[in-house]
């Protein structure tokens, strides 16, 4: 149980940390990407406002900055050949509007194109970029114009579409370097996150023992108390039992007063029955405590589980008949598991006896053993004496739990049988679960690896 607690603690801690780091890394990279796109859009906005050209800086001569014959542009019926109103003509200290510096301008790589109503590029300017020729620029322009989007990416080029007269200007900005920087940041953040998670995993695994130590010590004390108390209780119970037997023998010898003798015998029988019940409970608690902590090391051999289930179920036929119930036994022959014959017999007895105790009169109890894949599946199904809730099904394998909240079940028992069944199945590397189709049935299924 302590090892399971450590595993659950590690899983919970790592899951929480993984989710937290994933949110942080995703948030940082989303913000980084949005910053890249926002900066690109701001630059494109500035270029579009200047008709696909960089803004003029203070002291720049128009003819020196733009070596373009006027006829090349004025021949186009766009009505945008007048550059006299371009932004930045009066800016100071080498800054264009929006804080765009001369150094940034020199590093900016872009190209622009004008397309007509048929999405054909009629004018292309690639003077500010060397990685794209006019033919490629035309293809990019046609693709962007055909997309119908005002902004977007084509490869590593961010573009913006603006209308100038009866023409459409499409300006492309080379974002290759910033996108590569973004991708490098993404890769680095992922690698560092994984490395950090592995480091934390090692640390948590190392310290998990210390973290759960108080719980482990408390549980160990509880388990030791149950075991020691069980052994201590056995001795007085045995003495009480012996004295009851002696008293019965004395009463048989001194049976002068039949009425008094009969009353005393009846009381002694009640005491004897309660002593037997308490003895069984003590033995079960000690057995369960040892099984759950693995102290009761089982001798695992190849055992014929089909024969074990069949013989155990058939031994309950007289009991079922006496209680006016029937057993339907369906066992797939020749199934074997790696396990303990004694414990598997106990498992079958617990589940069948539980079905007989807590089913209504006249019920047909189904007992099945089948093979599903690589597992032997043992199922016991019976009608529930009272409706079952999801809470009942969730806690049926807990110690002393009963669906009958008054804990006055006329069927007897201590509410510990299914806990023992769960411990036995776990010792055989299997799984056990309880379910109910509509609340009127109680179905217990034990799955154990078959050979």
């Amino acid at each position: 149980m302590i090892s399971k607690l450590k595993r659950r603690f590690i899983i919970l801690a790592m899951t929480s940390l993984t989710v937290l780091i994933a949110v942080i890394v995703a948030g940082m990279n989303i913000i980084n990407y949005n910053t890249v796109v926002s900066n690109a859009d701001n630059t494109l906005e500035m270029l579009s406002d200047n008709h696909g050209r960089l803004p003029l800086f203070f002291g720049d001569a128009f003819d020196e900055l733009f070596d373009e014959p006027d006829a090349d542009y004025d021949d186009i019926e766009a009505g945008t050949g007048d550059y006299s109103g371009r932004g930045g003509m009066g800016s100071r200290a080498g800054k264009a509007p929006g804080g765009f510096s001369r150094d940034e301008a020199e590093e900016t790589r872009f190209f622009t194109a004008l397309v007509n109503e048929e999405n054909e590029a009629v004018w292309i300017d690639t003077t500010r970029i060397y990685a794209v020729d006019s033919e490629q620029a035309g293809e990019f322009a046609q693709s962007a114009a055909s997309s119908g989007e005002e902004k977007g990416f084509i490869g590593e080029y961010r573009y913006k579409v603006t209308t100038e007269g009866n023409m459409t200007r499409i300006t492309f900005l080379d974002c290759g370097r910033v996108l590569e920087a973004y991708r490098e940041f993404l890769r680095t953040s992922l690698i560092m996150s994984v490395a950090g998670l592995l480091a934390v995993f090692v640390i948590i695994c190392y310290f998990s023992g210390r973290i759960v130590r108080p719980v482990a010590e408390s549980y160990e004390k509880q388990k030791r108390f149950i075991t020691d108390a069980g052994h201590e209780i056995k001795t007085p119970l045995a003495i009480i039992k012996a004295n009851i037997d002696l008293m019965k023998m004395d009463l048989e010898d001194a049976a002068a007063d039949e009425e008094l003798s009969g009353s005393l015998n009846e009381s002694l029988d009640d005491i004897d029955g309660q002593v037997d019940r308490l003895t069984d409970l003590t033995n079960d608690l000690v057995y369960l405590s040892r099984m759950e902590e693995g102290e009761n090391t089982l001798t695992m051999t190849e055992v014929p589980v089909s024969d074990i289930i069949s013989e155990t179920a058939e031994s309950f036929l007289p009991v079922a008949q006496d209680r006016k119930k029937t057993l339907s036994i369906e066992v797939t022959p020749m199934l074997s598991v790696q396990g303990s014959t004694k414990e598997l017999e106990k498992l079958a007895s617990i589940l069948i006896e539980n079905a007989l105790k807590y089913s209504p009169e006249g019920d047909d109890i189904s007992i099945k053993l089948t093979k599903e894949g690589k597992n032997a599946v043992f199922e016991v199904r019976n009608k529930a004496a009272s409706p079952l809730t999801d809470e009942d099904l969730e806690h049926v394998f807990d110690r002393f739990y009963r669906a009958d909240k008054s804990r006055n079940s006329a069927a007897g028992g201590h509410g510990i049988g299914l806990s023992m069944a769960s411990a036995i199945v776990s010792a055989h590397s299997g799984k056990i679960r309880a379910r109910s189709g509509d609340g009127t049935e109680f179905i217990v299924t034990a799955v154990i690896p078959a050979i």
Side-chain angles (χ1 to χ4, degrees):
M1 179 176 179
I2 300 303
S3 59
K4 289 183 179 179
L5 181 61
K6 289 174 61 176
R7 284 197 299 271
R8 289 179 180 177
F9 171 77
I10 293 172
I11 291 172
L12 178 61
M14 291 304 301
T15 300
S16 302
L17 185 61
T18 301
V19 171
L20 177 61
I21 290 180
V23 171
I24 293 174
V25 171
M28 289 191 305
N29 282 279
I30 289 173
I31 293 173
N32 191 17
Y33 180 78
N34 288 336
T35 301
V36 169
V37 174
S38 177
N39 291 339
D41 287 343
N42 289 338
T43 302
L44 285 170
E45 186 74 26
M46 179 268 297
L47 292 172
S48 297
D49 290 345
N50 287 278
H51 311 293
R53 294 293 190 180
L54 288 170
L56 292 179
F57 294 89
F58 180 76
D60 282 340
F62 179 81
D63 291 336
E64 294 176 0
L65 187 62
F66 302 111
D67 183 16
E68 176 190 350
D70 292 340
D72 290 346
Y73 187 76
D74 291 338
D75 288 343
I76 302 172
E77 297 178 1
T80 58
D82 182 10
Y83 282 83
S84 61
R86 295 181 59 194
M89 288 291 288
S91 56
R92 302 290 179 179
K95 288 283 186 179
F100 196 75
S101 68
R102 185 188 298 272
D103 290 336
E104 290 172 327
E106 291 298 328
E107 294 175 358
T108 302
R109 296 293 175 261
F110 67 94
F111 62 94
T112 184
L114 287 173
V115 298
N116 57 23
E117 295 178 353
E118 287 76 29
N119 292 335
E120 296 176 347
V122 296
W123 180 82
I124 297 171
D125 180 9
T126 59
T127 56
R128 295 292 303 182
I129 194 168
Y130 300 99
V132 177
D133 57 26
S134 296
E135 182 178 353
Q136 291 174 315
E139 294 175 355
F140 284 176
Q142 290 179 353
S143 178
S146 301
S147 69
E149 301 290 336
E150 183 183 351
K151 298 177 181 179
F153 274 103
I154 295 181
E156 296 189 341
Y157 296 92
R158 182 77 173 169
Y159 68 86
K160 178 177 174 58
V161 178
T162 55
T163 301
E164 296 185 1
N166 62 348
M167 293 289 180
T168 300
R169 178 180 295 280
I170 305 177
T171 306
F172 292 84
L173 180 66
D174 184 1
C175 299
R177 285 183 296 175
V178 290
L179 286 176
E180 180 58 32
Y182 159 74
R183 286 191 286 265
E184 183 62 28
F185 179 80
L186 175 61
R187 285 192 293 267
T188 303
S189 62
L190 290 175
I191 293 172
M192 294 301 295
S193 299
V194 172
L197 284 173
L198 290 176
V200 172
F201 175 72
V202 173
I203 294 172
I204 290 178
C205 288
Y206 178 76
F207 286 104
S208 61
R210 298 185 183 183
I211 294 173
V212 302
R213 183 177 298 167
V215 179
E217 291 176 352
S218 176
Y219 185 80
E220 183 64 27
K221 290 178 181 178
Q222 175 189 345
K223 183 177 68 69
R224 187 164 55 248
F225 167 78
I226 293 174
T227 303
D228 295 343
H231 287 298
E232 292 297 328
I233 291 172
K234 283 182 179 181
T235 300
L237 286 176
I239 294 173
I240 293 172
K241 182 79 171 174
N243 286 327
I244 290 173
D245 293 337
L246 289 174
M247 292 174 69
K248 285 184 177 180
M249 293 173 61
D250 291 341
L251 284 172
E252 289 176 359
D253 295 337
D257 189 342
E258 293 183 0
E259 183 177 350
L260 178 60
S261 177
S263 176
L264 289 173
N265 271 312
E266 185 176 347
S267 298
L268 289 173
D269 288 340
D270 289 341
I271 295 173
D272 193 23
Q274 292 303 316
V275 169
D276 289 340
R277 177 181 171 85
L278 188 54
T279 301
D280 291 340
L281 173 59
T282 303
N283 292 333
D284 288 346
L285 281 172
V286 173
Y287 174 85
L288 179 58
S289 180
R290 289 176 175 175
M291 286 293 294
E292 285 184 341
E293 285 305 305
E295 290 185 5
N296 188 20
T297 305
L298 302 179
T299 302
M300 298 291 191
T301 58
E302 182 176 345
V303 294
V305 68
S306 297
D307 296 341
I308 293 173
I309 299 298
S310 295
E311 293 171 4
T312 305
E314 289 171 0
S315 69
F316 279 91
L317 288 173
V319 180
Q321 185 177 4
D322 182 60
R323 298 184 184 182
K324 298 180 180 180
K325 302 174 185 179
T326 58
L327 298 180
S328 297
I329 305 172
E330 298 180 24
V331 175
T332 301
M334 306 298 291
L335 290 184
S336 297
V337 300
Q338 194 76 16
S340 167
T341 300
K342 179 182 177 182
E343 308 310 323
L344 291 174
E345 287 176 349
K346 194 173 189 67
L347 170 65
S349 297
I350 289 172
L351 297 186
I352 297 172
E353 185 176 4
N354 186 77
L356 288 170
K357 281 183 179 179
Y358 301 106
S359 59
E361 186 175 305
D363 186 25
D364 181 21
I365 298 169
S366 172
I367 301 170
K368 290 183 179 180
L369 178 69
T370 58
K371 185 174 184 181
E372 296 182 6
K374 297 182 179 181
N375 299 314
V377 180
F378 177 41
E379 179 186 277
V380 178
R381 180 191 299 254
N382 62 276
K383 291 289 184 182
S386 58
L388 295 170
T389 65
D390 292 339
E391 182 183 1
D392 294 330
L393 296 173
E394 184 179 352
H395 295 287
V396 289
F397 297 109
D398 294 349
R399 296 182 186 184
F400 302 111
Y401 182 83
R402 283 179 178 168
D404 176 19
K405 301 300 185 294
S406 67
R407 307 190 65 79
N408 290 322
S409 174
H414 313 107
I416 201 173
L418 291 179
S419 299
M420 296 169 61
S422 177
I424 293 171
V425 173
S426 296
H428 285 78
S429 302
K431 295 181 179 179
I432 189 169
R433 67 187 182 102
R435 69 184 194 279
S436 177
D438 54 4
T440 62
E441 278 190 318
F442 184 61
I443 308 164
V444 180
T445 305
V447 181
I448 299 176
I451 296 178

